[in-house]
Amino acid sequence: MLLSVLSSGSSGNATYVEAEGRGVLVDAGLSCRRIRALLALVGRTLDRVQAVLLTHGHADHTAGVASLVRECGDGLRVVAAPGVGGGPRSEVVPEGVPFEVCGFEATFFSVPHDAATYGLRLRAGELCAAVATDLGEVVEETLLWMRGADAVVLEANHDAEWLRRGPYPARLKRRISSSSGHLSNLQAAEAAAALAPHGLKDLVLAHLSETNNSPARACGTVSRALRAAGHPGVRVRASLPGRPTPWIEVGAPVAGYRREAGQLFGVE
Ligand SMILES: [Zn+2]
Ligand SMILES: [Zn+2]
């Protein structure tokens, strides 16, 4: 199983996951034209994408669905959890119930946000990846769904101190830091430390604020927490808007890992 976060942040989210040559997109918050260009950067074409799985209805996760459907036609499945939307073509599947899509066993699990929002667990054989962005807090149930995943894409939206001191209006600050808002670096770090003993090998930090966070700040906070918890081997990267992460080979062993220049920021 291979994974690349193609683009991440409030300007548009899309993650590509592939197993045995068949690919799915988790969210499509950018136009078909942009997604095609981002896929090209990781050596893939749009015809590999057989399904789009939608985690929630906010435009930064769904804005490209209509153009993808127009471009790809009936060959493209659009699958959404309840209350997400996704247009007339979307199949609605219940949360918490595994379904089959392009050779994956996929399960949506609900997370706290200010709209009907879900994380997604994808299994292919022995391998497992989980994606959870746009969540105000990581509750025990969220951890249980992500436990055992080899690779996790997890929101690290803001540094709490940078948000507090930053330029946003007070009301927006309250919304972001609330339990139905967005995850802070420290909250992501705590979740990572809880998942690390259960086989976590790759962690991609996602949905970083360009105002209230930086890739170095997010990776630093999370890596420190993992080291302090006795799990220095977990590979931690940040994903960026419009720049796909290097391929993550889900399940690749952590032994012998060395961080190479560029990997921290997911830029090649
Ligand atoms: Zn979002
Ligand atoms: Zn959202």
Side-chain angles (χ1 to χ4, degrees), residues 138-154:
V138 179
V139 295
E140 187 58 31
E141 209 188 326
T142 312
L143 284 176
L144 287 175
W145 279 109
M146 295 195 290
R147 189 170 286 174
D150 302 282
V152 167
V153 179
L154 181 66

Side-chain angles (χ1 to χ4, degrees), residues 9-13 27 56 58-61 113 133-134 155 175 182 207:
S10 56
S11 58
N13 296 275
D27 290 331
H56 72 304
H58 286 163
D60 60 322
H61 299 258
H113 189 46
T133 67
D134 296 55
E155 173 164 56
R175 190 216 139 203
H182 289 278
H207 219 285

Side-chain angles (χ1 to χ4, degrees), residues 172-183:
L172 183 56
K173 289 181 181 180
R174 276 199 300 278
R175 190 216 139 203
I176 290 170
S177 55
S178 78
S179 59
S180 58
H182 289 278
L183 219 59

Side-chain angles (χ1 to χ4, degrees), residues 2-268:
L2 293 169
L3 179 155
S4 171
V5 179
L6 300 177
S7 183
S8 178
S10 56
S11 58
N13 296 275
T15 296
Y16 176 75
V17 193
E18 180 181 285
E20 293 178 13
R22 302 162 81 195
V24 300
L25 283 174
V26 182
D27 290 331
L30 306 102
S31 70
C32 178
R33 187 181 56 82
R34 290 282 295 134
I35 288 173
R36 188 200 300 275
L38 292 167
L39 282 169
L41 291 174
V42 292
R44 294 294 183 272
T45 52
L46 203 52
D47 52 21
R48 288 267 186 130
V49 178
Q50 301 188 350
V52 183
L53 313 177
L54 300 173
T55 66
H56 72 304
H58 286 163
D60 60 322
H61 299 258
T62 57
V65 175
S67 62
L68 276 170
V69 166
R70 270 197 307 276
E71 180 70 24
C72 301
D74 292 340
L76 183 77
R77 279 177 74 185
V78 180
V79 187
V84 170
R89 279 270 310 278
S90 80
E91 307 163 36
V92 179
V93 297
E95 66 168 293
V97 180
F99 59 98
E100 198 282 332
V101 61
C102 305
F104 291 101
E105 180 204 274
T107 316
F108 285 114
F109 54 93
S110 111
V111 294
H113 189 46
D114 53 4
T117 302
Y118 302 85
L120 181 68
R121 194 177 70 185
L122 288 169
R123 281 188 194 283
E126 299 283 289
L127 303 173
C128 180
V131 178
T133 67
D134 296 55
L135 64 170
E137 59 181 342
V138 179
V139 295
E140 187 58 31
E141 209 188 326
T142 312
L143 284 176
L144 287 175
W145 279 109
M146 295 195 290
R147 189 170 286 174
D150 302 282
V152 167
V153 179
L154 181 66
E155 173 164 56
N157 175 259
H158 59 276
D159 179 275
E161 186 58 24
W162 288 14
L163 175 68
R164 194 177 67 75
R165 291 202 204 153
Y168 282 8
R171 203 167 144 210
L172 183 56
K173 289 181 181 180
R174 276 199 300 278
R175 190 216 139 203
I176 290 170
S177 55
S178 78
S179 59
S180 58
H182 289 278
L183 219 59
S184 72
N185 293 341
L186 210 52
Q187 287 173 300
E190 285 167 3
L195 294 172
H198 301 279
L200 179 67
K201 296 165 192 74
D202 286 280
L203 178 68
V204 183
L205 303 176
H207 219 285
L208 271 67
S209 166
E210 292 183 80
T211 306
N212 303 306
N213 210 356
S214 74
R217 185 82 175 172
C219 289
T221 302
V222 173
S223 297
R224 265 196 305 280
L226 284 166
R227 277 198 303 275
H231 302 286
V234 177
R235 294 175 287 252
V236 179
R237 295 184 181 87
S239 52
L240 296 175
R243 292 174 124 170
T245 60
W247 283 116
I248 286 156
E249 197 187 325
V250 176
V254 290
Y257 172 75
R258 281 218 159 70
R259 176 176 287 152
E260 290 160 23
Q263 279 197 326
L264 175 64
F265 307 108
V267 179
E268 287 188 303

